[in-house]
Amino acid sequence: MKETIFRKPASFYDTYERKGGANPDVTHYCPGCGHGILHKLIAEAMDDFDINKKTILISPVGCSVFAYYYFDCSNIQAAHGRAPAVATGAKRANPNSVLISYQGDGDLAGIGGNEILQAANRGENISVFFVNNAIYGMTGGQMAPTTLVGQRTTTCPRGRSPENEGFPLKMCELISTLGAPVYVERVALTDAKHIMKARKAVRKALQAQLDGKGFAFVEALSACPTGWKVPADQANRWIEEMMEPVFPLGVYKDETAERAERQPVHVELSAEELVKALAIPTGEEKPSFERGKSWLRNPEIKVAGFGGQGVLLLGVSLAQAAMKAGYHTTWLPSYGPEMRGGTANCHVRISEERIGSPVVQESDVLIAFNGPSIEKFAHLVKPGGLILYDSSLVDGAIERSDVTVYGIPFTKTAEETLGNVRTANFIAMGAFIVTSGGLLDEAVVKSILPLVIKRKNMIEINERAIGEGMRLAREAMGTG
Amino acid sequence: MAKVFIKGNEAVVKGALLAGCKAYYGYPITPASEIAEGAALYFQPAGSTFLQAESEIGAINMVYGAASVGIRVMTASSSPGISLKMEGISYAAGSELPCVIVDISRGGPGLGNIAPEQGDYNQIVKGGGHGNYQLIVLAPNCAQEMCDLTMLAFELADKYRNPVVVLADGFIGQMMEPVEFPEPVTEFPAKPWAAGGTPETYKNLITSIDLDPDDLERHINHLYAKYAEVEANEIRYEEYHSEDADLVCVAFGVVSRILQSAIDMARAEGKKVGMLRPITLWPFPEKKLSELAAQGKQFLVVELNKGQMVHDVRLAVKHSVPVGSYGRVGGNVPTLKELYEQILVHLEGV
Ligand SMILES: Cc1ncc(C[n+]2csc(CCOP(=O)(O)OP(=O)(O)O)c2C)c(N)n1
Ligand code: SF4
């Protein structure tokens, strides 16, 4: 068995050409470094499972940033701490691949603390190998989230003090509390016996992924003689005596046996099916209605009231109908500061020409459903324009002699005649059809109801509301 | 296909799927949440991945992973979220990963507000992340372009192996307009460079690290040769009555729409004013602007910021003619009258 540990696995490149330099056959790791051992265990497992051609290895930022020098597989180098997010995107892009996220303790438990917890919590079907060497190796031996209490590093030169820096973060303990992870184990890369255990753990994590069982996490206590300033031959003892009491070895979670395999859902749509799934109507559509001969030309319309009165929907319906009738049209909801105080308004433009500004400042038409809307917008109606307001909710006269004003009891009629207060907006629509002199005709407006009203059983009552609004408007105009 | 009356934000989602986008990763933020919500609704039934990420940082790095494998992928956010994505965007540019980022920009700095602003021009067009790189930036001004430019963004991203940003504002995102969707894209460029975990691609490496200064310099020079190609091929703009204009307004996004109306008003009174609307904020229509300047035209740049794009216009015309600047910030959008008056003020100087 010892042999297999020392033979160069086929999943390593024969020579490390990406590394180059004078010694392209040896790794860039320091003597006694744990990274090399873990690399080898992973490469051997890749050999045995015969997966190197389908493996994607994410290298982190840290001493193992150059893991891609060695592994003969697809390699992606990630930003500091983000490997689990990169792995998520990669695995979901190719669910048939084997995703290995390889990270150090600064990378995983420090800057990338959120990415690892969230990927674990989602149960991403990936294998994470976490090198805990209690220090930042690459940047020259600074404190890591896993640095031991009292341990000296260049950024805690008097030793890590819980008062200032808190306690070492125990990632296996944390991750094993989550529901989704299927397998969590801490191993140590020390003597042959422990390395054999680590070897098994690596395989188990990969097997879990191959079986579609979800997130597997192996933490390896690992030597950094350089960062610790401990001779390489004493590093194993340092792990055993200093680290293991704080980071106990063992299996923290193993649900590989009972967990069901998750099959990635694969949906492949044809072009036609895609268009259908996007609810895009096909076929050419000619304007199916004659444009009305209205006294209003290219009107700018403001619709305003309380939220919940169907103000926005009325605006959308006006614009939808205008589009159907072959006009250019825009709809813009009230936005930002205007939305305060529970009022809602929207801007609709209907034009025979291409529309510039979608913002309606001074309108040709105001449809108002409450007093505040009248206060706010009635004075902004252009001379010669039209105001339709809900006389059931607005008291007092509108003092504009230069515009046409009709007060119609939208809400009262909705409640009393139609038995549904929510039809007030389409009563107003009916009133607009008549008072605008046929800018939009009744048929075109009714034809868009199925597009704007989600509940099918509400269409018929709104058709009646339109009729009722038209009747009331004719009455108000004295033409009824 | 038949026209659909639709919000700009929804047009982005549908355009992306028509362009073959296979994954959406995003984090909610007003006023871009509707894109995430639309994606949540449509992506999975269309056979694509949708995932709400833990943060914008998570989202852009998921995009990075997916793009590395070779699929079309996108994210969308608004200004503060885009700030968070900048590290990932720099990595993607360095690693030459095609991806699409939509920014529905809002008021800043800091938390600012959710009203429309164009204060992201500098962070998107000039970098924002670290290092020597350039994003391709498309600026739609209507719902139709929200669809069309999103689709174009995927095409350009693949063509140049570079992140592409669609930069819009809350008005363009919220506004509903008729949109005619094009047919779905069915042919996609091969990506032999991807690190896809397949027998064809397993030798590949996606990385942005290059320890050797000469190697990194070579790589950056390669990026800039590519950017020169983008500049040669991809400049897009729209002119509105600029031919005989004495004063040419320059604007993008919602401002260009209001200006169009203001120009109509001024034209009705015989004023010679027009507009040049950059559709690509990068590459920037420098040459066109310098040609217009050579004809003696003056400029008025209107933006929802304290004057960011105006510097590019001044550089383009080499300060040979006056370039006025007018900006509103904080989420205030200038009114038609306001811009009409600005046009009159600046015409006086002509
Ligand atoms: C955003 C960012 N911040 C900081 C760094 C600098 N940096 C590089 S490696 C590293 C620490 C890596 O330590 P660890 O994850 O423990 O890996 P090790 O080197 O010990 O294997 C840091 C802080 C960086 N590259 N990027
Ligand atoms: S610094 Fe530490 S972690 Fe880095 S290679 Fe050397 S021993 Fe390994």
Side-chain angles (χ1 to χ4, degrees):
Chain A
M1 276 311 211
K2 232 178 185 159
E3 257 173 32
T4 49
I5 292 174
F6 291 106
R7 182 175 45 83
K8 189 167 180 171
S11 293
F12 278 155
Y13 295 116
D14 293 337
T15 53
Y16 307 138
E17 278 168 25
R18 286 189 181 129
K19 174 172 173 265
N23 288 315
D25 295 317
V26 297
T27 72
H28 71 290
Y29 295 112
C30 309
C33 173
H35 279 301
I37 303 172
L38 186 58
H39 279 25
K40 213 160 188 181
L41 297 180
I42 294 170
E44 282 169 5
M46 282 166 66
D47 283 2
D48 292 353
F49 291 130
D50 191 19
I51 52 172
N52 73 307
K53 289 184 183 161
K54 61 191 278 197
T55 296
I56 303 176
L57 183 106
I58 317 288
S59 348
V61 172
C63 281
S64 48
V65 64
F66 296 121
Y68 63 75
Y69 284 171
Y70 313 114
F71 288 94
D72 191 2
C73 65
S74 296
N75 280 284
I76 302 173
Q77 201 289 309
H80 198 15
R82 318 300 175 210
V86 174
T88 298
K91 178 76 185 192
R92 288 179 182 233
N94 178 7
N96 295 319
S97 61
V98 176
L99 241 298
I100 296 178
S101 181
Y102 188 105
Q103 299 184 262
D105 45 44
D107 195 78
L108 182 139
I111 192 167
N114 196 27
E115 282 75 13
I116 188 63
L117 274 184
Q118 303 284 346
N121 196 46
R122 287 190 302 266
E124 297 295 338
N125 190 27
I126 62 175
S127 312
V128 176
F129 298 118
F130 168 40
V131 171
N132 177 358
N133 57 16
I135 204 151
Y136 282 15
M138 186 181 212
T139 39
Q142 295 85 6
M143 191 191 77
T146 47
T147 291
L148 306 176
V149 170
Q151 183 187 339
R152 291 181 183 183
T153 73
T154 59
T155 50
C156 50
R158 290 166 294 279
R160 180 177 189 159
S161 125
E163 288 75 37
N164 199 46
E165 287 107 6
F167 292 90
L169 254 179
K170 303 179 179 188
M171 292 310 294
C172 279
E173 286 83 337
L174 249 177
I175 286 173
S176 59
T177 64
L178 304 174
V182 66
Y183 170 60
V184 180
E185 180 167 356
R186 182 181 289 129
V187 297
L189 303 172
T190 49
D191 55 20
K193 194 179 109 213
H194 282 92
I195 289 172
M196 281 309 294
K197 268 208 160 153
R199 184 169 183 269
K200 276 204 187 115
V202 166
R203 278 152 190 275
K204 190 148 186 181
L206 287 171
Q207 188 66 55
Q209 181 177 176
L210 288 165
D211 293 344
K213 301 216 163 174
F215 187 87
F217 185 83
V218 176
E219 171 174 346
L221 303 185
S222 171
C224 175
T226 310
W228 298 344
K229 301 187 177 62
V230 165
D233 59 359
Q234 289 167 37
N236 283 354
R237 241 184 69 201
W238 202 89
I239 292 177
E240 281 158 20
E241 290 175 7
M242 308 296 286
M243 290 184 79
E244 285 180 23
V246 180
F247 301 110
L249 305 183
V251 176
Y252 283 78
K253 186 171 187 183
D254 183 0
E255 294 178 3
T256 47
E258 53 268 41
R259 194 69 70 86
E261 180 181 343
R262 288 190 309 183
Q263 294 281 4
V265 215
H266 186 74
V267 183
E268 186 96 47
L269 300 188
S270 68
E272 294 79 48
E273 288 167 331
L274 177 63
V275 169
K276 214 168 150 211
L278 297 183
I280 298 172
T282 48
E284 278 304 313
E285 199 176 331
K286 291 259 147 46
S288 37
F289 299 89
E290 290 274 324
R291 284 184 195 169
K293 290 183 192 68
S294 170
W295 57 276
L296 281 168
R297 266 209 76 210
N298 303 340
E300 301 187 32
I301 303 168
K302 177 138 297 162
V303 188
F306 291 125
Q309 283 183 307
V311 163
L312 300 186
L313 186 70
L314 175 56
V316 170
S317 305
L318 284 166
Q320 241 338 324
M323 181 183 90
K324 261 257 165 113
Y327 293 106
H328 294 269
T329 182
T330 58
W331 173 89
L332 184 71
S334 53
Y335 192 78
E338 283 190 15
M339 258 162 62
R340 281 187 215 121
T343 62
N345 72 76
C346 59
H347 313 222
V348 178
R349 290 199 59 185
I350 298 175
S351 175
E352 288 168 26
E353 283 136 40
R354 188 181 129 176
I355 296 170
S357 175
V359 183
V360 175
Q361 211 78 31
E362 295 178 352
S363 69
D364 299 286
V365 178
L366 170 66
I367 306 176
F369 286 84
N370 62 10
S373 303
I374 291 290
E375 256 163 55
K376 215 167 153 191
F377 300 121
H379 69 282
L380 290 172
V381 177
K382 293 180 208 167
L386 169 70
I387 298 178
L388 297 177
Y389 72 93
D390 191 340
S391 58
S392 26
L393 298 177
V394 178
D395 346 290
I398 292 167
E399 300 184 1
R400 287 285 305 261
S401 53
D402 56 343
V403 298
T404 311
V405 181
Y406 297 111
I408 292 170
F410 303 141
T411 301
K412 192 161 164 260
T413 310
E415 273 171 343
E416 293 176 4
T417 311
L418 289 141
N420 188 333
V421 67
R422 307 194 65 145
T423 58
N425 54 353
F426 280 96
I427 295 174
M429 174 66 101
F432 177 76
I433 291 172
V434 170
T435 53
S436 68
L439 183 83
L440 302 170
D441 69 26
E442 186 184 350
V444 72
V445 173
K446 285 188 175 165
S447 78
I448 58 96
L449 288 181
L451 296 174
V452 293
I453 294 174
K454 288 208 184 89
R455 300 220 330 252
K456 287 230 154 50
N457 59 356
M458 291 296 290
I459 291 174
E460 194 266 338
I461 192 172
N462 279 300
E463 281 183 357
R464 280 196 285 132
I466 290 171
E468 201 55 32
M470 292 177 73
R471 188 184 64 76
L472 290 170
R474 287 197 192 102
E475 243 174 57
M477 291 170 79
T479 56
Chain B
M1 286 192 267
K3 280 190 174 154
V4 190
F5 194 64
I6 195 172
K7 272 193 185 180
N9 283 337
E10 203 179 328
V12 166
V13 172
K14 295 190 174 178
L17 286 169
L18 290 173
C21 182
K22 287 287 167 212
Y24 180 101
Y25 294 102
Y27 188 81
I29 182 169
T30 310
S33 295
E34 274 170 4
I35 299 181
E37 288 162 2
L41 203 58
Y42 289 109
F43 265 57
Q44 283 175 6
S48 294
T49 297
F50 169 84
L51 182 65
Q52 178 169 324
E54 59 267 27
S55 67
E56 288 84 353
I57 297 173
I60 192 69
N61 283 284
M62 290 170 190
V63 167
Y64 186 93
S68 298
V69 168
I71 63 166
R72 288 191 164 179
V73 56
M74 72 177 294
T75 183
S77 188
S78 179
S79 313
I82 296 291
S83 299
L84 274 181
K85 287 184 197 290
M86 279 302 172
E87 180 200 43
I89 292 173
S90 162
Y91 271 70
S95 300
E96 295 191 86
L97 291 177
C99 56
V100 172
I101 301 137
V102 181
D103 179 4
I104 308 294
S105 65
R106 62 183 241 183
L111 205 46
N113 63 26
I114 60 170
E117 224 193 52
Q118 296 176 329
D120 282 9
Y121 181 90
N122 279 349
Q123 86 156 341
I124 296 289
V125 175
K126 304 295 171 190
H130 58 287
N132 293 286
Y133 74 92
Q134 183 65 60
L135 301 174
I136 299 171
V137 187
L138 310 177
N141 83 342
C142 58
Q144 182 70 53
E145 282 190 354
M146 288 291 261
C147 165
D148 295 349
L149 295 185
T150 300
M151 293 184 75
L152 177 66
F154 282 101
E155 193 187 310
L156 295 179
D158 278 351
K159 185 170 171 193
Y160 296 102
R161 279 190 67 182
N162 206 64
V164 179
V165 176
V166 176
L167 179 60
D169 52 71
F171 270 23
I172 301 301
Q174 291 287 324
M175 182 170 49
M176 286 179 96
E177 284 183 305
V179 171
E180 190 170 350
F181 285 101
E183 295 292 331
V185 176
T186 48
E187 278 180 39
F188 303 98
K191 296 184 178 175
W193 48 264
T198 62
E200 299 77 39
T201 63
Y202 81 102
K203 293 284 177 196
N204 291 339
L205 163 68
I206 301 295
T207 187
S208 61
I209 190 172
D210 237 325
L211 286 191
D212 183 273
D214 290 333
D215 284 347
L216 185 54
E217 186 168 53
R218 232 185 322 267
H219 176 62
I220 294 168
N221 287 340
H222 155 73
L223 293 182
Y224 277 74
K226 183 171 86 176
Y227 300 152
E229 221 181 290
V230 178
E231 281 185 294
N233 300 333
E234 307 298 348
I235 292 172
R236 289 166 171 80
Y237 54 83
E238 185 189 24
E239 289 180 87
Y240 191 70
H241 297 312
S242 56
E243 244 155 61
D244 67 339
D246 299 323
L247 179 71
V248 176
C249 302
V250 186
F252 66 97
V254 64
V255 185
S256 67
R257 297 288 297 265
I258 303 169
L259 264 174
Q260 185 193 318
S261 295
I263 288 164
D264 289 346
M265 255 171 100
R267 283 261 161 193
E269 270 149 43
K271 314 277 189 214
K272 290 196 165 172
V273 53
M275 175 163 57
L276 183 112
R277 171 173 77 94
I279 295 172
T280 49
L281 295 180
W282 196 88
F284 197 64
E286 267 172 41
K287 218 175 107 205
K288 183 70 208 176
L289 283 162
S290 77
E291 279 167 23
L292 293 173
Q295 294 162 20
K297 299 180 195 304
Q298 299 194 7
F299 295 89
L300 168 62
V301 183
V302 185
E303 302 172 74
L304 301 183
N305 58 43
K306 291 304 278 183
Q308 298 188 10
M309 180 172 71
V310 64
H311 297 296
D312 285 331
V313 177
R314 284 181 181 146
L315 271 181
V317 306
K318 302 186 181 64
H319 294 270
S320 59
V321 292
V323 177
S325 169
Y326 185 73
R328 293 296 305 270
V329 290
N332 282 313
V333 175
T335 62
L336 176 55
K337 266 210 173 129
E338 193 177 344
L339 291 189
Y340 172 73
E341 276 155 21
Q342 282 300 317
I343 286 171
L344 295 192
V345 168
H346 284 82
L347 267 172
E348 263 168 36
V350 173

